[in-house]
Amino acid sequence: MRSVAVLGATGSIGAQALDVIAARPDLRVCALSAHRDAAGLAAAACATGARLVALSDPDAAADAPEIDGVTTFTGDRAVADLIEASGADLVLNAIVGAAGLRATLAAFAAGADVALANKESLVAGGELVLAAQRASGRLLIPVDSEHSALAQCLAGAGPETVTGLVITASGGPFRGRRREELAGVTAAEALAHPTWSMGRKITIDSATLMNKGLEVIEGHHLFAIPYDAIEVVVHPQSIVHGMVRFRDGALLAHVGNPDMRVPISWALTHPAREATVVPTLDLTSALSLEFEPVDAGTFRCLALAREAGIAGGTAPCILNAANEVAVHAFLDGRIGFLDIAAVVEEALERVPAEPLESLEQVLEADRRARAAAAGAGAAAA
Ligand code: NAD
Ligand code: MG
């Protein structure tokens, strides 16, 4: 029996993870976190029998659920305290945003394996996460579908045989549009993703292609592959999730229906690859797979992310924090769609990047980038 702490349990990935765990007698939920949704957290605690929960938003502490036999952690250290108290074998980090970095570090410090959906952890503090993982001797298992695919294609491969990684992008709801057509698009249009149903922040990141930029940085850290060997290709069907190029000319692909329960299950049951309810791909019905290059001039966030990744240090943290601020401003209707890239670019210009040494430094770069992005966003509004 493996005990699992599910962080971000009320979100899109969190809820799907609870479904996967409920179907498996060998997995047990020991702890749950949510940020503000006290009712959702209480419902999840009752459904799973978890005895430890955390509500992380300090402003929501007053709403924290009171359930007989359940301990509730609140406040600034709520998630770290929850992880430590839980003694979980595995922590699934499905928190959204750089707020997830401390949780990832806390999970390794507590000696747990980490199933990581929270790509922002690796973007903001990749070196810190990898150092914490090495020190703990535990596993870092990707949940992001592309990285789950890549990890599976890479299994057993000698590093010298690998010449490149390919990350696929659906292209989002604005694939094929020209830049000038995107100035006036609304949040509702950007939230209408063609192939995946996800939380609001990652759905906007998918529309700008920042999500692929974050995933390039995530892939660089997870697989120790140089940036120039990580390609992004648009694949509108979202059937091929990731591919690995090998030196003999072979290209291994991971193919399947777009359903996050597959990579979630792979991470939670690794290395056993247990059964899921997700149907395998039906090859008897008409199926065509298309691939096309990214329109980098229209979707500028991808290049900004790649540049920040190559610059290294705190640059990816600055990029990520500014993007979080810009995405919220766009969702609130305060800035336009094209302003997201402009705000991120301005924050990267205004906040100098430094070599990455400590968590405190990452938190400070994150804070400064948010302030710079808020200023740039207010000017754009
Ligand atoms: P979501 O918005 O649906 O859920 C986010 C969860 O995090 C919620 O439970 C929320 O309460 C919690 N949360 C929000 N802010 C927090 C904070 N400051 N501190 C602690 N907890 C906080 O998001 P999601 O779509 O489930 O995405 C979660 C993570 O997984 C993101 O990093 C995303 O990029 C990644 N991811 C998601 C998908 C997907 O299909 N949804 C796919 C790949 C990767
Ligand atoms: Mg992904």
Side-chain angles (χ1 to χ4, degrees), residues 119 144-147 202 211-212 215:
K119 64 192 85 185
D144 213 350
S145 56
E146 297 76 6
H147 303 75
I202 185 176
N211 186 45
K212 291 304 133 182
E215 289 182 356

Side-chain angles (χ1 to χ4, degrees), residues 8 33 37 62 69 79 94 119 165 249 276 306 320 322 361:
S33 89
D37 180 4
V79 175
K119 64 192 85 185
L165 306 181
T276 73
R306 200 181 267 282
N320 175 69
Q361 185 199 18

Side-chain angles (χ1 to χ4, degrees), residues 110-122:
D113 290 330
V114 176
L116 192 66
N118 179 254
K119 64 192 85 185
E120 296 93 340
S121 284
L122 277 172

Side-chain angles (χ1 to χ4, degrees), residues 8 10-13 35 56 94-95 99 117-120 144 198-199 260:
T10 53
S12 162
I13 293 287
H35 198 48
S56 45
I95 290 172
N118 179 254
K119 64 192 85 185
E120 296 93 340
D144 213 350
M198 310 178 286
M260 285 307 295

Side-chain angles (χ1 to χ4, degrees), residues 139-156:
L139 298 176
L140 174 56
I141 312 161
V143 171
D144 213 350
S145 56
E146 297 76 6
H147 303 75
S148 177
L150 294 171
Q152 292 173 55
C153 292
L154 283 165

Side-chain angles (χ1 to χ4, degrees), residues 53-331:
V53 301
L55 199 63
S56 45
D57 184 351
D59 296 333
D63 306 328
E66 282 179 34
I67 310 166
D68 267 357
V70 174
T71 304
T72 305
F73 298 87
T74 55
D76 242 11
R77 283 196 44 84
V79 175
D81 290 343
L82 175 86
I83 292 168
E84 205 178 309
S86 73
D89 299 315
L90 177 68
V91 173
L92 171 73
N93 187 349
I95 290 172
V96 61
L101 172 60
R102 292 170 99 142
T104 300
L105 297 174
F108 284 126
D113 290 330
V114 176
L116 192 66
N118 179 254
K119 64 192 85 185
E120 296 93 340
S121 284
L122 277 172
V123 173
E127 287 88 348
L128 301 179
V129 169
L130 295 179
Q133 185 232 339
R134 277 192 297 272
S136 74
R138 305 302 301 238
L139 298 176
L140 174 56
I141 312 161
V143 171
D144 213 350
S145 56
E146 297 76 6
H147 303 75
S148 177
L150 294 171
Q152 292 173 55
C153 292
L154 283 165
E160 71 286 359
T161 67
V162 175
T163 56
L165 306 181
V166 184
I167 293 175
T168 51
S170 70
F174 304 136
R175 181 176 67 90
R177 302 253 196 123
R178 290 192 315 274
R179 192 175 152 71
E180 52 274 22
E181 294 173 294
L182 296 181
V185 296
T186 63
E189 290 172 279
L191 285 169
H193 196 277
T195 50
W196 294 98
S197 162
M198 310 178 286
R200 287 159 64 87
K201 191 261 179 182
I202 185 176
T203 304
I204 300 303
D205 286 347
S206 300
T208 61
L209 290 203
M210 179 60 92
N211 186 45
K212 291 304 133 182
L214 302 179
E215 289 182 356
V216 167
I217 300 171
E218 181 186 14
H220 166 77
H221 288 300
L222 280 172
F223 306 117
I225 300 281
Y227 281 102
D228 61 6
I230 306 178
E231 292 162 68
V232 175
V233 63
V234 173
H235 165 50
Q237 291 79 20
S238 298
I239 296 285
V240 177
H241 303 300
M243 296 180 265
V244 177
R245 293 186 190 279
F246 290 92
R247 63 183 175 190
D248 59 358
L251 184 61
L252 293 198
H254 182 289
V255 180
N257 288 312
D259 189 316
M260 285 307 295
R261 290 173 299 180
V262 175
I264 290 169
S265 176
W266 186 78
L268 296 182
T269 68
H270 184 75
R273 194 190 284 277
E274 298 288 357
T276 73
V277 297
V278 180
T280 190
L281 198 62
D282 177 5
L283 297 173
T284 61
S285 65
L287 173 72
S288 54
L289 303 178
E290 298 164 278
F291 299 93
E292 62 192 42
V294 172
D295 175 356
T298 299
F299 299 98
R300 291 175 53 232
C301 286
L302 176 57
L304 289 172
R306 200 181 267 282
E307 284 162 25
I310 292 166
T314 53
C317 166
I318 294 164
L319 167 103
N320 175 69
N323 180 58
E324 289 187 30
V325 170
V327 168
H328 282 117
F330 171 69
L331 282 170

